[in-house]
């Protein structure tokens, strides 16, 4: 029997998954069930667009519900605000770094279900996060990229709430 890997999440990410699951189970799915039942009562189902679309949408919702249920069952919530003070990079850290080209960047190391590159949220499994994890404030890490090796300096490590 294999162990299912933990799904690391910040409190905000966990809340978003719970909210989405609630929305699907208590709002969207019941509405689709109503539409499908109404459409089924209209006769020939093979040419009934409402029925066919409703059944397809219900399968999509059920698939997403199963996925979210599994992700939440394996969730390990890590709150950066309750973490003891450290200058070492771990999950849920907000890291200010200087890239090889001299530009500064702020990244937040989050779970796979929380990735948002526009907000600087990167997966803890991403190559950049893997290079940063366990390094400390002031360390220089190397990131292998398709263009070659990039040198990155860690300027600051913080553990604050991630929205």
């Amino acid at each position: 029997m294999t162990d299912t890997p933990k799904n690391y999440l910040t409190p905000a990410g966990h809340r978003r998954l719970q909210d989405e699951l609630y929305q699907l189970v208590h709002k969207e799915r019941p509405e689709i069930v109503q539409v499908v039942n109404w459409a089924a009562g209209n006769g020939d189902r093979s040419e009934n667009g409402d029925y066919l679309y409703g059944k397809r949408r219900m399968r999509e919702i059920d698939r997403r519900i199963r996925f979210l249920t599994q992700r939440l069952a394996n969730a390990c919530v890590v709150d950066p605000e309750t973490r003891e003070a450290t200058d070492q990079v771990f999950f849920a850290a907000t890291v200010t770094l200087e890239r090889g080209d001299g530009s500064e960047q702020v990244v937040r190391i989050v779970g796979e279900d929380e990735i948002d590159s526009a907000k600087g949220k990167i997966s803890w499994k991403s190559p950049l996060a893997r290079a940063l994890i366990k390094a400390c404030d002031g360390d220089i890490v190397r990131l292998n990229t398709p263009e070659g090796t990039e040198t990155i300096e860690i300027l600051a490590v913080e553990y604050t709430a991630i929205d």
Side-chain angles (χ1 to χ4, degrees):
M1 187 165 125
T2 60
D3 287 331
T4 306
K6 288 193 185 317
N7 179 29
Y8 291 100
L9 292 166
T10 62
H14 187 257
R15 197 168 32 262
R16 274 192 292 279
L17 290 184
Q18 286 178 318
D19 291 348
E20 182 184 353
L21 181 61
Y22 183 88
Q23 175 74 18
L24 291 171
V25 170
H26 297 284
K27 296 200 171 47
E28 288 186 40
R29 191 173 193 288
E31 290 171 7
I32 292 293
V33 167
Q34 267 188 325
V35 169
V36 168
N37 287 338
W38 169 81
N42 289 340
D44 186 8
R45 295 177 185 178
S46 66
E47 295 180 14
N48 186 331
D50 288 327
Y51 178 81
L52 296 174
Y53 170 77
K55 291 296 280 184
R56 181 175 31 241
R57 180 68 184 129
M58 196 164 17
R59 281 191 302 274
E60 291 168 0
I61 289 172
D62 288 344
R63 190 173 18 254
R64 185 68 181 168
I65 288 171
R66 280 191 304 277
F67 174 79
L68 290 171
T69 302
Q70 179 81 34
R71 298 299 284 174
L72 287 167
N74 297 324
C76 180
V77 180
V78 178
D79 188 348
E81 293 186 298
T82 61
R83 179 174 193 84
E84 59 189 61
T86 180
D87 67 346
Q88 197 170 13
V89 179
F90 293 108
F91 181 86
T94 299
V95 184
T96 305
L97 47 92
E98 184 178 319
R99 302 297 296 240
D101 62 5
S103 63
E104 272 192 28
Q105 181 181 7
V106 176
V107 295
R108 292 164 182 81
I109 300 174
V110 297
E112 293 176 282
D113 299 314
E114 304 175 82
I115 299 168
D116 185 347
S117 57
K119 293 182 179 179
K121 295 179 181 179
I122 63 171
S123 166
W124 66 278
K125 291 184 174 182
S126 70
L128 177 56
R130 286 181 180 265
L132 295 172
I133 288 181
K134 294 190 180 176
C136 296
D137 187 356
D139 284 357
I140 294 176
V141 297
R142 304 209 186 303
L143 175 64
N144 293 322
T145 67
E147 292 81 33
T149 302
E150 181 181 4
T151 303
I152 298 171
E153 181 179 358
I154 299 173
L155 302 176
V157 179
E158 298 177 297
Y159 288 94
T160 57
I162 298 174
D163 62 347

